[in-house]
Amino acid sequence: MAQRVMGSDGGNKKTSRIRVAVRLRPYVSKQDEKGEGPCVRGLDSQNLEIINWRNATETVKYHFDVFHGEKTTQQEVFLPSVKPILPHILNGQNASVFAYGPTGAGKTHTMLGSAEQPGVIPRAVREVFKLVKSKDEDEGWDYSIGMSYLEIYNEKVRDLLSPNSHDLPIREDKAKNILIPGLTHTIISSFSDFDKHFVPATLNRTTASTKLNQRSSRSHAILLLKVVRTRRALPHRQQTGKLYLVDLAGSEDNRRTGNQGIRLKESGAINLSLFTLSKVVDALNSGASVRVPYRDSKLTRLLQDSLGGSAHSVMITNIAPEYKYYFDTFSALNFAAKSKLIVNKPFTRETVALPVLPVKRARDEREAGPSGA
Ligand code: ADP
Ligand code: MG
C-alpha cells in the first residue's frame, strides 16, 4: 500500500527509478560516406563499447539496464521493456515510455515503426485493449479507454487531434494530477478505432510544417492513453491510469551544425526540454533526495505525474553506429549510462569477435605497427 512505498525501506527509490534501455540501429553504409565502418558495437545484453575519440587505441564501455543490439526485433524491444508496465495503467497507476536520441537513430522506428514492423505504440495500444477484454466481469469494474495526441514544439503545446488549436496550458489539480484543459480526449473502443484517429493526426503533424523533417525532429510527439475504471456498485468509485508514449525531439547538438536565427531559437527551446528531462532523469536515478526540476520545461511538467514517483517509466535511447553520429552518440550514452569504463583495445581484441571492427582502422594499426599510435 501507499504507506509501504513511502516508507524508509528504500521501496520508494526503487519504484521511482527510470529503467534505461539502449537500442543500436543497424549499420547503414549510405550514412558512412568515408567508409569508416561502425564505431559502436554491442557486447552483451547490458553492455556496449564505442571507440574513444581521445585515444583510438581505447574503447569506452557502457553499462545499462538493457542493451538491444542491431538485430533486435520490435517484439524483442516491446516484450521486456514495455509490456510489463501496461497492467499498472488498468489499476489507476501512471506510466511513460519515451524514445531519446539523435535524429536518424531510430526513435520513430522504435515508437511507431511501419506496417511490416509495428513499434511500441501500436503494440501497446493492442495490448491495453487485450488486457481490458481479459478482465473478469466478477471483479466489478467497467473500463473505458481514451486517447489524446499532442506535440510540444518551441515550448508550445499543440493538440494534434484538433488541427487549428493554439498553445494549450498545463495545469495541476488538487490531487497533483497534471492536466491540459481544452485538450481533445477521444474515447476509443478498439485498435482500429484508435488507428482511425491516430493516423490522420500523425499526417496533420507533418503536413502542418513546410520543412517536415526539421519540425518533426525538433518537436516532441506525445500520445496519451488513459484508462478509467469505474466501480459498478455505488458509490461508483473511479480510478484513472495514464500511459504516455513519447517520440522525443532529436538530441543532436544544433550548435555544432551552425544553425542560425529561428532555428537556433528552436534548438534552444528543444535543448531546454531535453536538458530538463536529463536533469529530471538524473535526479530520479541518483537515489538522492534532491529537488526534481519538473517545472523547468513543458515536457517535464506534463510528464510530472507519470515520470518517477510511483509511476513506471522506461527510456529507450536510440543510437546509430556510424561515425557521423559519433559525438551525438557519446552525449546520448552519457545521459543513459549507469556506468562507463575506459578499456584498452588489446582487451577488446581478445574478447570480441571482429566482424564490426572498422576496416580502415584495422589497416591503419597494422601499418603503424604494434608500438604505433
Ligand atoms: P529518428 O526518428 O530517431 O529520427 P528513424 O526512426 O526515422 O529515426 O530512423 C531513421 C531510419 O533508420 C529510418 O529509415 C528507419 O526506418 C531506419 N531504422 C531505424 N531503426 C531501425 C532498426 N532497428 N531496424 C531497421 N531500420 C531502422
Ligand atoms: Mg523521428
Side-chain angles (χ1 to χ4, degrees), residues 111-144:
M111 295 308 292
L112 200 57
S114 58
E116 304 76 47
Q117 294 172 272
V120 164
I121 288 174
R123 284 170 201 271
V125 173
R126 277 187 199 281
E127 177 67 16
V128 168
F129 275 107
K130 201 171 130 197
L131 288 169
V132 165
K133 283 219 177 70
S134 70
K135 279 286 170 185
D136 200 332
E137 284 274 309
D138 297 345
E139 288 177 31
W141 295 96
D142 286 327
Y143 291 82
S144 126

PDB file of all heavy atoms in Angstrom, residues 111-144:
ATOM      1  N   MET A 111       9.168   3.750 -31.753  1.00  0.00           N
ATOM      2  CA  MET A 111       7.855   4.084 -31.191  1.00  0.00           C
ATOM      3  C   MET A 111       6.717   3.743 -32.144  1.00  0.00           C
ATOM      4  O   MET A 111       5.707   3.176 -31.735  1.00  0.00           O
ATOM      5  CB  MET A 111       7.781   5.573 -30.828  1.00  0.00           C
ATOM      6  CG  MET A 111       8.738   5.996 -29.717  1.00  0.00           C
ATOM      7  SD  MET A 111       8.633   4.993 -28.204  1.00  0.00           S
ATOM      8  CE  MET A 111       7.020   5.415 -27.573  1.00  0.00           C
ATOM      9  N   LEU A 112       6.868   4.115 -33.408  1.00  0.00           N
ATOM     10  CA  LEU A 112       5.783   3.949 -34.371  1.00  0.00           C
ATOM     11  C   LEU A 112       6.016   2.729 -35.254  1.00  0.00           C
ATOM     12  O   LEU A 112       5.122   1.919 -35.450  1.00  0.00           O
ATOM     13  CB  LEU A 112       5.735   5.225 -35.226  1.00  0.00           C
ATOM     14  CG  LEU A 112       4.473   5.532 -35.972  1.00  0.00           C
ATOM     15  CD1 LEU A 112       3.313   5.595 -34.994  1.00  0.00           C
ATOM     16  CD2 LEU A 112       4.638   6.884 -36.689  1.00  0.00           C
ATOM     17  N   GLY A 113       7.216   2.628 -35.807  1.00  0.00           N
ATOM     18  CA  GLY A 113       7.535   1.528 -36.699  1.00  0.00           C
ATOM     19  C   GLY A 113       6.809   1.667 -38.019  1.00  0.00           C
ATOM     20  O   GLY A 113       6.420   2.767 -38.411  1.00  0.00           O
ATOM     21  N   SER A 114       6.622   0.536 -38.708  1.00  0.00           N
ATOM     22  CA  SER A 114       5.970   0.542 -40.018  1.00  0.00           C
ATOM     23  C   SER A 114       4.887  -0.526 -40.001  1.00  0.00           C
ATOM     24  O   SER A 114       4.736  -1.240 -39.010  1.00  0.00           O
ATOM     25  CB  SER A 114       7.014   0.216 -41.089  1.00  0.00           C
ATOM     26  OG  SER A 114       7.603  -1.044 -40.794  1.00  0.00           O
ATOM     27  N   ALA A 115       4.156  -0.637 -41.128  1.00  0.00           N
ATOM     28  CA  ALA A 115       3.108  -1.661 -41.204  1.00  0.00           C
ATOM     29  C   ALA A 115       3.711  -3.053 -41.018  1.00  0.00           C
ATOM     30  O   ALA A 115       3.141  -3.907 -40.338  1.00  0.00           O
ATOM     31  CB  ALA A 115       2.384  -1.558 -42.541  1.00  0.00           C
ATOM     32  N   GLU A 116       4.892  -3.269 -41.609  1.00  0.00           N
ATOM     33  CA  GLU A 116       5.528  -4.592 -41.505  1.00  0.00           C
ATOM     34  C   GLU A 116       6.164  -4.799 -40.135  1.00  0.00           C
ATOM     35  O   GLU A 116       6.220  -5.916 -39.629  1.00  0.00           O
ATOM     36  CB  GLU A 116       6.619  -4.768 -42.577  1.00  0.00           C
ATOM     37  CG  GLU A 116       6.183  -4.558 -44.017  1.00  0.00           C
ATOM     38  CD  GLU A 116       6.025  -3.078 -44.360  1.00  0.00           C
ATOM     39  OE1 GLU A 116       6.933  -2.300 -44.011  1.00  0.00           O
ATOM     40  OE2 GLU A 116       4.994  -2.700 -44.930  1.00  0.00           O
ATOM     41  N   GLN A 117       6.701  -3.713 -39.576  1.00  0.00           N
ATOM     42  CA  GLN A 117       7.388  -3.817 -38.283  1.00  0.00           C
ATOM     43  C   GLN A 117       6.805  -2.804 -37.310  1.00  0.00           C
ATOM     44  O   GLN A 117       7.438  -1.777 -37.012  1.00  0.00           O
ATOM     45  CB  GLN A 117       8.887  -3.558 -38.460  1.00  0.00           C
ATOM     46  CG  GLN A 117       9.613  -4.600 -39.286  1.00  0.00           C
ATOM     47  CD  GLN A 117      11.031  -4.138 -39.561  1.00  0.00           C
ATOM     48  OE1 GLN A 117      11.301  -3.446 -40.527  1.00  0.00           O
ATOM     49  NE2 GLN A 117      11.957  -4.496 -38.677  1.00  0.00           N
ATOM     50  N   PRO A 118       5.566  -3.057 -36.820  1.00  0.00           N
ATOM     51  CA  PRO A 118       4.944  -2.099 -35.902  1.00  0.00           C
ATOM     52  C   PRO A 118       5.771  -1.920 -34.631  1.00  0.00           C
ATOM     53  O   PRO A 118       6.382  -2.864 -34.132  1.00  0.00           O
ATOM     54  CB  PRO A 118       3.581  -2.716 -35.603  1.00  0.00           C
ATOM     55  CG  PRO A 118       3.675  -4.148 -36.009  1.00  0.00           C
ATOM     56  CD  PRO A 118       4.724  -4.228 -37.075  1.00  0.00           C
ATOM     57  N   GLY A 119       5.790  -0.689 -34.138  1.00  0.00           N
ATOM     58  CA  GLY A 119       6.612  -0.364 -32.983  1.00  0.00           C
ATOM     59  C   GLY A 119       5.848  -0.380 -31.668  1.00  0.00           C
ATOM     60  O   GLY A 119       4.793  -1.008 -31.541  1.00  0.00           O
ATOM     61  N   VAL A 120       6.396   0.339 -30.687  1.00  0.00           N
ATOM     62  CA  VAL A 120       5.862   0.328 -29.324  1.00  0.00           C
ATOM     63  C   VAL A 120       4.408   0.829 -29.281  1.00  0.00           C
ATOM     64  O   VAL A 120       3.566   0.244 -28.598  1.00  0.00           O
ATOM     65  CB  VAL A 120       6.760   1.200 -28.407  1.00  0.00           C
ATOM     66  CG1 VAL A 120       6.057   1.545 -27.107  1.00  0.00           C
ATOM     67  CG2 VAL A 120       8.089   0.490 -28.133  1.00  0.00           C
ATOM     68  N   ILE A 121       4.095   1.902 -30.016  1.00  0.00           N
ATOM     69  CA  ILE A 121       2.749   2.488 -29.917  1.00  0.00           C
ATOM     70  C   ILE A 121       1.658   1.493 -30.333  1.00  0.00           C
ATOM     71  O   ILE A 121       0.780   1.185 -29.521  1.00  0.00           O
ATOM     72  CB  ILE A 121       2.665   3.824 -30.699  1.00  0.00           C
ATOM     73  CG1 ILE A 121       3.447   4.897 -29.920  1.00  0.00           C
ATOM     74  CG2 ILE A 121       1.214   4.255 -30.921  1.00  0.00           C
ATOM     75  CD1 ILE A 121       3.584   6.231 -30.634  1.00  0.00           C
ATOM     76  N   PRO A 122       1.678   0.969 -31.566  1.00  0.00           N
ATOM     77  CA  PRO A 122       0.606   0.031 -31.916  1.00  0.00           C
ATOM     78  C   PRO A 122       0.588  -1.221 -31.033  1.00  0.00           C
ATOM     79  O   PRO A 122      -0.495  -1.722 -30.683  1.00  0.00           O
ATOM     80  CB  PRO A 122       0.892  -0.328 -33.382  1.00  0.00           C
ATOM     81  CG  PRO A 122       2.281   0.138 -33.655  1.00  0.00           C
ATOM     82  CD  PRO A 122       2.562   1.257 -32.717  1.00  0.00           C
ATOM     83  N   ARG A 123       1.747  -1.694 -30.633  1.00  0.00           N
ATOM     84  CA  ARG A 123       1.775  -2.889 -29.776  1.00  0.00           C
ATOM     85  C   ARG A 123       1.178  -2.600 -28.402  1.00  0.00           C
ATOM     86  O   ARG A 123       0.434  -3.416 -27.846  1.00  0.00           O
ATOM     87  CB  ARG A 123       3.223  -3.396 -29.606  1.00  0.00           C
ATOM     88  CG  ARG A 123       3.744  -4.132 -30.813  1.00  0.00           C
ATOM     89  CD  ARG A 123       5.243  -4.398 -30.723  1.00  0.00           C
ATOM     90  NE  ARG A 123       5.767  -4.638 -32.063  1.00  0.00           N
ATOM     91  CZ  ARG A 123       5.808  -5.843 -32.636  1.00  0.00           C
ATOM     92  NH1 ARG A 123       5.419  -6.903 -31.975  1.00  0.00           N
ATOM     93  NH2 ARG A 123       6.254  -5.970 -33.859  1.00  0.00           N
ATOM     94  N   ALA A 124       1.505  -1.433 -27.852  1.00  0.00           N
ATOM     95  CA  ALA A 124       0.989  -1.094 -26.520  1.00  0.00           C
ATOM     96  C   ALA A 124      -0.521  -0.883 -26.564  1.00  0.00           C
ATOM     97  O   ALA A 124      -1.243  -1.332 -25.669  1.00  0.00           O
ATOM     98  CB  ALA A 124       1.699   0.152 -25.989  1.00  0.00           C
ATOM     99  N   VAL A 125      -1.002  -0.213 -27.608  1.00  0.00           N
ATOM    100  CA  VAL A 125      -2.450   0.035 -27.699  1.00  0.00           C
ATOM    101  C   VAL A 125      -3.202  -1.295 -27.816  1.00  0.00           C
ATOM    102  O   VAL A 125      -4.183  -1.545 -27.117  1.00  0.00           O
ATOM    103  CB  VAL A 125      -2.777   0.975 -28.886  1.00  0.00           C
ATOM    104  CG1 VAL A 125      -4.282   1.100 -29.079  1.00  0.00           C
ATOM    105  CG2 VAL A 125      -2.149   2.353 -28.665  1.00  0.00           C
ATOM    106  N   ARG A 126      -2.715  -2.178 -28.681  1.00  0.00           N
ATOM    107  CA  ARG A 126      -3.348  -3.508 -28.804  1.00  0.00           C
ATOM    108  C   ARG A 126      -3.358  -4.243 -27.469  1.00  0.00           C
ATOM    109  O   ARG A 126      -4.341  -4.861 -27.079  1.00  0.00           O
ATOM    110  CB  ARG A 126      -2.587  -4.368 -29.823  1.00  0.00           C
ATOM    111  CG  ARG A 126      -2.978  -4.100 -31.249  1.00  0.00           C
ATOM    112  CD  ARG A 126      -2.299  -5.103 -32.179  1.00  0.00           C
ATOM    113  NE  ARG A 126      -2.293  -4.631 -33.554  1.00  0.00           N
ATOM    114  CZ  ARG A 126      -3.345  -4.703 -34.366  1.00  0.00           C
ATOM    115  NH1 ARG A 126      -4.488  -5.220 -33.934  1.00  0.00           N
ATOM    116  NH2 ARG A 126      -3.271  -4.245 -35.605  1.00  0.00           N
ATOM    117  N   GLU A 127      -2.218  -4.179 -26.781  1.00  0.00           N
ATOM    118  CA  GLU A 127      -2.089  -4.908 -25.522  1.00  0.00           C
ATOM    119  C   GLU A 127      -3.042  -4.351 -24.460  1.00  0.00           C
ATOM    120  O   GLU A 127      -3.636  -5.110 -23.698  1.00  0.00           O
ATOM    121  CB  GLU A 127      -0.630  -4.850 -25.044  1.00  0.00           C
ATOM    122  CG  GLU A 127      -0.348  -5.504 -23.702  1.00  0.00           C
ATOM    123  CD  GLU A 127      -0.525  -7.025 -23.692  1.00  0.00           C
ATOM    124  OE1 GLU A 127      -0.579  -7.644 -24.792  1.00  0.00           O
ATOM    125  OE2 GLU A 127      -0.620  -7.589 -22.581  1.00  0.00           O
ATOM    126  N   VAL A 128      -3.205  -3.022 -24.416  1.00  0.00           N
ATOM    127  CA  VAL A 128      -4.109  -2.438 -23.427  1.00  0.00           C
ATOM    128  C   VAL A 128      -5.547  -2.897 -23.699  1.00  0.00           C
ATOM    129  O   VAL A 128      -6.276  -3.278 -22.773  1.00  0.00           O
ATOM    130  CB  VAL A 128      -3.991  -0.892 -23.412  1.00  0.00           C
ATOM    131  CG1 VAL A 128      -5.127  -0.261 -22.604  1.00  0.00           C
ATOM    132  CG2 VAL A 128      -2.642  -0.482 -22.825  1.00  0.00           C
ATOM    133  N   PHE A 129      -5.957  -2.915 -24.960  1.00  0.00           N
ATOM    134  CA  PHE A 129      -7.298  -3.428 -25.274  1.00  0.00           C
ATOM    135  C   PHE A 129      -7.431  -4.896 -24.865  1.00  0.00           C
ATOM    136  O   PHE A 129      -8.459  -5.321 -24.340  1.00  0.00           O
ATOM    137  CB  PHE A 129      -7.615  -3.254 -26.769  1.00  0.00           C
ATOM    138  CG  PHE A 129      -8.167  -1.894 -27.086  1.00  0.00           C
ATOM    139  CD1 PHE A 129      -7.395  -0.954 -27.748  1.00  0.00           C
ATOM    140  CD2 PHE A 129      -9.456  -1.536 -26.691  1.00  0.00           C
ATOM    141  CE1 PHE A 129      -7.886   0.314 -28.021  1.00  0.00           C
ATOM    142  CE2 PHE A 129      -9.967  -0.271 -26.965  1.00  0.00           C
ATOM    143  CZ  PHE A 129      -9.181   0.655 -27.622  1.00  0.00           C
ATOM    144  N   LYS A 130      -6.372  -5.652 -25.117  1.00  0.00           N
ATOM    145  CA  LYS A 130      -6.399  -7.074 -24.760  1.00  0.00           C
ATOM    146  C   LYS A 130      -6.527  -7.253 -23.238  1.00  0.00           C
ATOM    147  O   LYS A 130      -7.314  -8.079 -22.765  1.00  0.00           O
ATOM    148  CB  LYS A 130      -5.105  -7.727 -25.270  1.00  0.00           C
ATOM    149  CG  LYS A 130      -5.178  -9.231 -25.427  1.00  0.00           C
ATOM    150  CD  LYS A 130      -3.930  -9.746 -26.134  1.00  0.00           C
ATOM    151  CE  LYS A 130      -3.337 -10.903 -25.356  1.00  0.00           C
ATOM    152  NZ  LYS A 130      -1.934 -11.169 -25.760  1.00  0.00           N
ATOM    153  N   LEU A 131      -5.766  -6.468 -22.500  1.00  0.00           N
ATOM    154  CA  LEU A 131      -5.812  -6.569 -21.034  1.00  0.00           C
ATOM    155  C   LEU A 131      -7.203  -6.218 -20.500  1.00  0.00           C
ATOM    156  O   LEU A 131      -7.724  -6.885 -19.608  1.00  0.00           O
ATOM    157  CB  LEU A 131      -4.775  -5.635 -20.400  1.00  0.00           C
ATOM    158  CG  LEU A 131      -3.305  -6.037 -20.538  1.00  0.00           C
ATOM    159  CD1 LEU A 131      -2.385  -4.890 -20.113  1.00  0.00           C
ATOM    160  CD2 LEU A 131      -3.022  -7.293 -19.698  1.00  0.00           C
ATOM    161  N   VAL A 132      -7.808  -5.178 -21.078  1.00  0.00           N
ATOM    162  CA  VAL A 132      -9.138  -4.770 -20.618  1.00  0.00           C
ATOM    163  C   VAL A 132     -10.160  -5.869 -20.940  1.00  0.00           C
ATOM    164  O   VAL A 132     -11.001  -6.218 -20.101  1.00  0.00           O
ATOM    165  CB  VAL A 132      -9.543  -3.412 -21.241  1.00  0.00           C
ATOM    166  CG1 VAL A 132     -11.039  -3.156 -21.076  1.00  0.00           C
ATOM    167  CG2 VAL A 132      -8.743  -2.284 -20.605  1.00  0.00           C
ATOM    168  N   LYS A 133     -10.068  -6.444 -22.147  1.00  0.00           N
ATOM    169  CA  LYS A 133     -11.001  -7.508 -22.538  1.00  0.00           C
ATOM    170  C   LYS A 133     -10.902  -8.724 -21.615  1.00  0.00           C
ATOM    171  O   LYS A 133     -11.895  -9.396 -21.339  1.00  0.00           O
ATOM    172  CB  LYS A 133     -10.720  -7.956 -23.976  1.00  0.00           C
ATOM    173  CG  LYS A 133     -11.239  -6.990 -24.998  1.00  0.00           C
ATOM    174  CD  LYS A 133     -11.838  -7.695 -26.228  1.00  0.00           C
ATOM    175  CE  LYS A 133     -12.399  -6.667 -27.189  1.00  0.00           C
ATOM    176  NZ  LYS A 133     -11.307  -5.869 -27.842  1.00  0.00           N
ATOM    177  N   SER A 134      -9.660  -8.988 -21.169  1.00  0.00           N
ATOM    178  CA  SER A 134      -9.464 -10.198 -20.372  1.00  0.00           C
ATOM    179  C   SER A 134      -9.871 -10.013 -18.905  1.00  0.00           C
ATOM    180  O   SER A 134      -9.805 -10.958 -18.112  1.00  0.00           O
ATOM    181  CB  SER A 134      -7.997 -10.642 -20.449  1.00  0.00           C
ATOM    182  OG  SER A 134      -7.205  -9.724 -19.736  1.00  0.00           O
ATOM    183  N   LYS A 135     -10.265  -8.797 -18.534  1.00  0.00           N
ATOM    184  CA  LYS A 135     -10.659  -8.546 -17.142  1.00  0.00           C
ATOM    185  C   LYS A 135     -11.944  -9.295 -16.813  1.00  0.00           C
ATOM    186  O   LYS A 135     -12.898  -9.296 -17.599  1.00  0.00           O
ATOM    187  CB  LYS A 135     -10.858  -7.044 -16.907  1.00  0.00           C
ATOM    188  CG  LYS A 135      -9.565  -6.318 -16.683  1.00  0.00           C
ATOM    189  CD  LYS A 135      -9.022  -6.621 -15.297  1.00  0.00           C
ATOM    190  CE  LYS A 135      -7.606  -6.104 -15.146  1.00  0.00           C
ATOM    191  NZ  LYS A 135      -6.997  -6.470 -13.877  1.00  0.00           N
ATOM    192  N   ASP A 136     -11.943  -9.876 -15.652  1.00  0.00           N
ATOM    193  CA  ASP A 136     -13.096 -10.665 -15.230  1.00  0.00           C
ATOM    194  C   ASP A 136     -14.257  -9.760 -14.815  1.00  0.00           C
ATOM    195  O   ASP A 136     -14.090  -8.870 -13.988  1.00  0.00           O
ATOM    196  CB  ASP A 136     -12.670 -11.551 -14.039  1.00  0.00           C
ATOM    197  CG  ASP A 136     -13.617 -12.708 -13.850  1.00  0.00           C
ATOM    198  OD1 ASP A 136     -14.807 -12.569 -14.214  1.00  0.00           O
ATOM    199  OD2 ASP A 136     -13.160 -13.749 -13.339  1.00  0.00           O
ATOM    200  N   GLU A 137     -15.404  -9.981 -15.422  1.00  0.00           N
ATOM    201  CA  GLU A 137     -16.635  -9.244 -15.069  1.00  0.00           C
ATOM    202  C   GLU A 137     -16.853  -9.226 -13.553  1.00  0.00           C
ATOM    203  O   GLU A 137     -17.288  -8.226 -12.984  1.00  0.00           O
ATOM    204  CB  GLU A 137     -17.838  -9.933 -15.729  1.00  0.00           C
ATOM    205  CG  GLU A 137     -17.978  -9.675 -17.217  1.00  0.00           C
ATOM    206  CD  GLU A 137     -18.738  -8.388 -17.488  1.00  0.00           C
ATOM    207  OE1 GLU A 137     -19.824  -8.223 -16.915  1.00  0.00           O
ATOM    208  OE2 GLU A 137     -18.216  -7.554 -18.249  1.00  0.00           O
ATOM    209  N   ASP A 138     -16.524 -10.355 -12.930  1.00  0.00           N
ATOM    210  CA  ASP A 138     -16.825 -10.505 -11.500  1.00  0.00           C
ATOM    211  C   ASP A 138     -16.042  -9.541 -10.615  1.00  0.00           C
ATOM    212  O   ASP A 138     -16.378  -9.345  -9.465  1.00  0.00           O
ATOM    213  CB  ASP A 138     -16.519 -11.943 -11.040  1.00  0.00           C
ATOM    214  CG  ASP A 138     -17.408 -12.945 -11.754  1.00  0.00           C
ATOM    215  OD1 ASP A 138     -18.422 -12.499 -12.348  1.00  0.00           O
ATOM    216  OD2 ASP A 138     -17.093 -14.149 -11.744  1.00  0.00           O
ATOM    217  N   GLU A 139     -14.975  -8.960 -11.168  1.00  0.00           N
ATOM    218  CA  GLU A 139     -14.200  -8.026 -10.356  1.00  0.00           C
ATOM    219  C   GLU A 139     -14.959  -6.729 -10.109  1.00  0.00           C
ATOM    220  O   GLU A 139     -14.604  -5.942  -9.234  1.00  0.00           O
ATOM    221  CB  GLU A 139     -12.849  -7.729 -11.008  1.00  0.00           C
ATOM    222  CG  GLU A 139     -11.881  -8.911 -10.919  1.00  0.00           C
ATOM    223  CD  GLU A 139     -10.563  -8.635 -11.640  1.00  0.00           C
ATOM    224  OE1 GLU A 139     -10.121  -7.466 -11.690  1.00  0.00           O
ATOM    225  OE2 GLU A 139      -9.989  -9.599 -12.179  1.00  0.00           O
ATOM    226  N   GLY A 140     -15.994  -6.486 -10.926  1.00  0.00           N
ATOM    227  CA  GLY A 140     -16.901  -5.375 -10.638  1.00  0.00           C
ATOM    228  C   GLY A 140     -16.488  -3.999 -11.145  1.00  0.00           C
ATOM    229  O   GLY A 140     -16.956  -2.981 -10.629  1.00  0.00           O
ATOM    230  N   TRP A 141     -15.593  -3.948 -12.137  1.00  0.00           N
ATOM    231  CA  TRP A 141     -15.176  -2.651 -12.695  1.00  0.00           C
ATOM    232  C   TRP A 141     -15.627  -2.549 -14.161  1.00  0.00           C
ATOM    233  O   TRP A 141     -15.581  -3.531 -14.890  1.00  0.00           O
ATOM    234  CB  TRP A 141     -13.660  -2.502 -12.694  1.00  0.00           C
ATOM    235  CG  TRP A 141     -12.980  -2.447 -11.360  1.00  0.00           C
ATOM    236  CD1 TRP A 141     -12.407  -3.491 -10.693  1.00  0.00           C
ATOM    237  CD2 TRP A 141     -12.755  -1.290 -10.548  1.00  0.00           C
ATOM    238  NE1 TRP A 141     -11.832  -3.050  -9.518  1.00  0.00           N
ATOM    239  CE2 TRP A 141     -12.034  -1.706  -9.402  1.00  0.00           C
ATOM    240  CE3 TRP A 141     -13.081   0.073 -10.668  1.00  0.00           C
ATOM    241  CZ2 TRP A 141     -11.643  -0.817  -8.393  1.00  0.00           C
ATOM    242  CZ3 TRP A 141     -12.685   0.947  -9.668  1.00  0.00           C
ATOM    243  CH2 TRP A 141     -11.980   0.499  -8.539  1.00  0.00           C
ATOM    244  N   ASP A 142     -16.004  -1.356 -14.582  1.00  0.00           N
ATOM    245  CA  ASP A 142     -16.192  -1.064 -16.004  1.00  0.00           C
ATOM    246  C   ASP A 142     -15.005  -0.221 -16.470  1.00  0.00           C
ATOM    247  O   ASP A 142     -14.590   0.698 -15.762  1.00  0.00           O
ATOM    248  CB  ASP A 142     -17.486  -0.262 -16.227  1.00  0.00           C
ATOM    249  CG  ASP A 142     -18.717  -1.147 -16.077  1.00  0.00           C
ATOM    250  OD1 ASP A 142     -18.633  -2.348 -16.417  1.00  0.00           O
ATOM    251  OD2 ASP A 142     -19.753  -0.633 -15.600  1.00  0.00           O
ATOM    252  N   TYR A 143     -14.485  -0.534 -17.649  1.00  0.00           N
ATOM    253  CA  TYR A 143     -13.301   0.170 -18.153  1.00  0.00           C
ATOM    254  C   TYR A 143     -13.647   1.035 -19.355  1.00  0.00           C
ATOM    255  O   TYR A 143     -14.454   0.646 -20.190  1.00  0.00           O
ATOM    256  CB  TYR A 143     -12.217  -0.835 -18.576  1.00  0.00           C
ATOM    257  CG  TYR A 143     -11.601  -1.571 -17.410  1.00  0.00           C
ATOM    258  CD1 TYR A 143     -12.232  -2.675 -16.845  1.00  0.00           C
ATOM    259  CD2 TYR A 143     -10.390  -1.146 -16.864  1.00  0.00           C
ATOM    260  CE1 TYR A 143     -11.672  -3.348 -15.770  1.00  0.00           C
ATOM    261  CE2 TYR A 143      -9.822  -1.822 -15.787  1.00  0.00           C
ATOM    262  CZ  TYR A 143     -10.456  -2.919 -15.250  1.00  0.00           C
ATOM    263  OH  TYR A 143      -9.896  -3.565 -14.188  1.00  0.00           O
ATOM    264  N   SER A 144     -12.979   2.172 -19.437  1.00  0.00           N
ATOM    265  CA  SER A 144     -13.098   2.978 -20.648  1.00  0.00           C
ATOM    266  C   SER A 144     -11.708   3.473 -21.046  1.00  0.00           C
ATOM    267  O   SER A 144     -10.871   3.805 -20.196  1.00  0.00           O
ATOM    268  CB  SER A 144     -14.088   4.120 -20.395  1.00  0.00           C
ATOM    269  OG  SER A 144     -13.522   5.358 -20.691  1.00  0.00           O
TER     270      SER A 144
END
